[in-house]
Amino acid sequence: MALGFTGMAMMGVQFLLTARFQHASAPFGIDVIYFFHRYLALIAISLIFVHYLIIRINYTEALATINPLQAPWYMTAGRTSLVLLTILIITSLWRKRLRIHYEEWRMLHIALAVMAFLLALNHIDGVSYYIDAPAKRWLWTGYILFWLVLIVYVRLIKPWKMRSKPYRVVEVRLECCNSWTLALEPEGHDGISFKPGQFAWLTLRASPYHIKEHPFSFSSSAAIQDRVEFTIKELGDFTSTIKQTKVGEIAYLDGPYGVFSIDRYPNASAFAFVAGGIGIAPIISMLRTLADRNEQRSLLLIYSNNRWDDVIFNKELEALKQRLDLRIVHVLKDPPTSWTGESGFITPALLKKVLSNDARMYEYFLCGPKPMSDVVQQGLFEIHVPMSQVHFELFDLV
Ligand SMILES: Cc1cc2nc3c(=O)[nH]c(=O)nc-3n(C[C@H](O)[C@H](O)[C@H](O)COP(=O)(O)OP(=O)(O)OC[C@H]3O[C@@H](n4cnc5c(N)ncnc54)[C@H](O)[C@@H]3O)c2cc1C
């Protein structure tokens, strides 16, 4: 029973972890919080299962019959909670393999978690061991009230605050191939103040109450607050509709979030950026911001794409060289025949060649597909760059 109580207390913390409180997530970054959420949930649910197994093996009579028509309601509530938690774990760990669409999964995840939690509370209340003393009852009532207030805040108050600060779409621009830039201006408020490299959750063509938001990195300069831009690659059902967005449409933002920013390392002697495809979005925001701040430090960009035509912000990057001490190394998987630059993928050997003896001088920012990010981290490790100087953003939270 002690294991059951511990698991339940940890389960409650999950709601806090995923509530996206900016101040709570600021020191770690949202990805670390979600990572923690995933593993803490696994531990909590394991404890709850062990609690059940111990009783099942040693005190079978305490479980009574499994038949819901004859069993006490609180025992059925406990069993149902266990089944829901099992479904929750399976659909979360193997969502992609089970081909569950992200948005449907998210709604299912919230519904399963809330139902399992309420049923488990019901179970504890019905069994009523260890919560019969007034002090313990107060403790558990306070605990339940806390989570209810949190749910009201996250699902009602926070969306209401977002609704009171709308944005208007002022431009939809094709950058290249299948990537679009969406420009937004605040409507009747001061806008958002973000650090270059951070991201926000964007809601378009829906109310903030509908939980239909998607995370996107700001691609505009952080020095400009009255107009923000996101550069979005067509990938799935939401991102493929960006091109249909009309100027004048209303959008909502929840942010800023994230720790992937040069502003966290003001004393760095130089910055190196490694981007793959659309991973350039937060990096162009950092470069644009550095240019607006008249940055003097040495900058390096290693930018990997399939073909030359896929290179987003190609012309602007060239122009930025005039305003910054910026060296750009393009790496193309399928280069044109006349190409004299780097080709193939970014490899440890390529990093060694490009960085030569300067590797330890830079603070590194990596954004691109996971295999690229892994190879670059490995390559930097091999040339003795301290991992504390390597920061990365993955465009995937689960
Ligand atoms: C921190 C962060 C920053 C990002 N910045 C950019 C950016 O600047 N430009 C860009 O093009 N893309 C960015 N992405 C990726 C972008 O959020 C997804 O490509 C987009 O949400 C996919 O939605 P979809 O419906 O078009 O595709 P789907 O095919 O529905 O989803 C593809 C995958 O994207 C993820 N995803 C889908 N919906 C969501 C959601 N609501 N919340 C979280 N993840 C979701 C899931 O892993 C899913 O499997 C970023 C992602 C993260 C986590």
Side-chain angles (χ1 to χ4, degrees):
M1 281 186 204
L3 291 178
F5 275 100
T6 315
M8 269 299 286
M10 286 165 77
M11 279 287 289
V13 176
Q14 303 303 312
F15 293 107
L16 194 63
L17 285 176
T18 50
R20 299 208 309 247
F21 286 110
Q22 273 165 328
H23 292 297
S25 63
F28 315 105
I30 276 273
D31 47 353
V32 173
I33 299 268
Y34 277 87
F35 186 83
F36 187 56
H37 161 62
R38 205 170 312 153
Y39 286 97
L40 198 65
L42 283 175
I43 297 171
I45 293 173
S46 305
L47 293 180
I48 294 171
F49 267 96
V50 175
H51 136 85
Y52 169 76
L53 281 179
I54 291 177
I55 298 176
R56 165 98 264 162
I57 294 164
N58 290 324
Y59 310 99
T60 319
E61 66 285 1
L63 290 176
T65 170
I66 198 169
N67 181 349
L69 296 175
Q70 291 163 5
W73 56 268
Y74 53 85
M75 293 309 286
T76 306
R79 285 195 186 94
T80 316
S81 179
L82 275 182
V83 172
L84 296 184
L85 289 176
T86 311
I87 301 173
L88 186 136
I89 290 284
I90 293 173
T91 51
S92 302
L93 291 182
W94 295 289
R95 174 183 71 82
K96 286 186 183 163
R97 223 176 280 174
L98 293 168
R99 293 171 194 270
I100 306 175
H101 194 263
Y102 185 88
E103 264 133 21
E104 276 129 35
W105 167 79
R106 199 167 169 207
M107 297 305 288
L108 180 76
H109 193 73
I110 296 170
L112 285 172
V114 172
M115 280 193 303
F117 190 69
L118 292 178
L119 284 168
L121 285 173
N122 231 284
H123 172 71
I124 293 175
D125 191 48
V127 174
S128 81
Y129 289 146
Y130 308 121
I131 58 159
D132 41 2
K136 290 177 193 163
R137 281 210 87 79
W138 276 110
L139 185 75
W140 275 91
T141 311
Y143 185 72
I144 295 164
L145 277 178
F146 178 73
W147 300 122
L148 286 179
V149 170
L150 187 75
I151 290 171
V152 169
Y153 174 79
V154 172
R155 298 285 159 237
L156 298 176
I157 300 176
K158 209 171 171 199
W160 174 76
K161 278 189 179 167
M162 278 166 71
R163 262 196 95 186
S164 64
K165 289 191 171 180
Y167 288 77
R168 195 166 289 281
V169 175
V170 290
E171 193 183 349
V172 185
R173 191 171 71 234
L174 176 65
E175 290 297 349
C176 107
C177 25
N178 50 6
S179 298
W180 300 78
T181 288
L182 192 72
L184 309 176
E185 281 181 8
E187 186 86 347
H189 57 98
D190 293 339
I192 198 165
S193 167
F194 65 94
K195 292 190 177 78
Q198 284 192 301
F199 70 96
W201 298 80
L202 169 75
T203 302
L204 207 59
R205 293 183 284 276
S207 145
Y209 293 103
H210 286 165
I211 328 180
K212 291 212 165 161
E213 70 234 308
H214 290 256
F216 294 107
S217 304
F218 294 95
S219 57
S220 50
S221 165
I224 303 165
Q225 259 193 45
D226 53 3
R227 174 184 162 118
V228 291
E229 292 188 354
F230 299 95
T231 302
I232 299 172
K233 182 175 172 171
E234 289 180 34
L235 182 84
D237 50 1
F238 174 73
T239 43
S240 304
T241 64
I242 293 297
K243 56 177 176 276
Q244 290 146 20
T245 311
K246 302 266 177 303
V247 167
E249 270 185 45
I250 289 292
Y252 301 98
L253 293 182
D254 177 20
Y257 293 102
V259 289
F260 184 70
S261 176
I262 45 171
D263 282 9
R264 287 173 62 91
Y265 307 93
N267 301 324
S269 45
F271 293 113
F273 304 98
V274 185
I278 190 62
I280 193 70
I283 289 171
I284 193 81
S285 170
M286 295 197 244
L287 290 172
R288 283 169 169 166
T289 310
L290 288 168
D292 287 343
R293 291 175 185 167
N294 293 320
E295 178 63 48
Q296 303 297 313
R297 280 173 286 188
S298 159
L299 308 170
L300 167 68
L301 168 65
I302 304 175
Y303 189 10
S304 164
N305 281 285
N306 284 339
R307 289 168 299 126
W308 184 244
D309 291 342
D310 298 337
V311 181
I312 314 172
F313 304 121
N314 188 2
K315 289 197 181 111
E316 183 177 350
L317 286 169
E318 282 308 304
L320 278 170
K321 281 186 185 169
Q322 312 302 317
R323 297 173 64 196
L324 294 165
D325 175 10
L326 172 64
R327 179 176 153 221
I328 303 179
V329 177
H330 285 286
V331 184
L332 297 182
K333 182 172 154 271
D334 302 317
T337 40
S338 55
W339 182 250
T340 53
E342 301 296 339
S343 55
F345 291 110
I346 301 178
T347 58
L350 182 137
L351 289 173
K352 257 183 227 160
K353 180 176 149 197
V354 171
L355 295 163
S356 55
N357 295 326
D358 298 333
R360 291 170 71 101
M361 159 179 108
Y362 294 105
E363 200 73 39
Y364 291 85
F365 291 86
L366 282 42
C367 188
K370 188 161 186 316
M372 182 205 92
S373 188
D374 290 347
V375 165
V376 175
Q377 285 175 65
Q378 180 60 35
L380 293 175
F381 180 74
E382 282 171 20
I383 49 177
H384 311 298
V385 173
M387 284 298 108
S388 57
Q389 277 172 234
V390 182
H391 319 283
F392 62 92
E393 183 84 286
L394 291 174
F395 281 177
D396 200 0
L397 293 174
V398 272

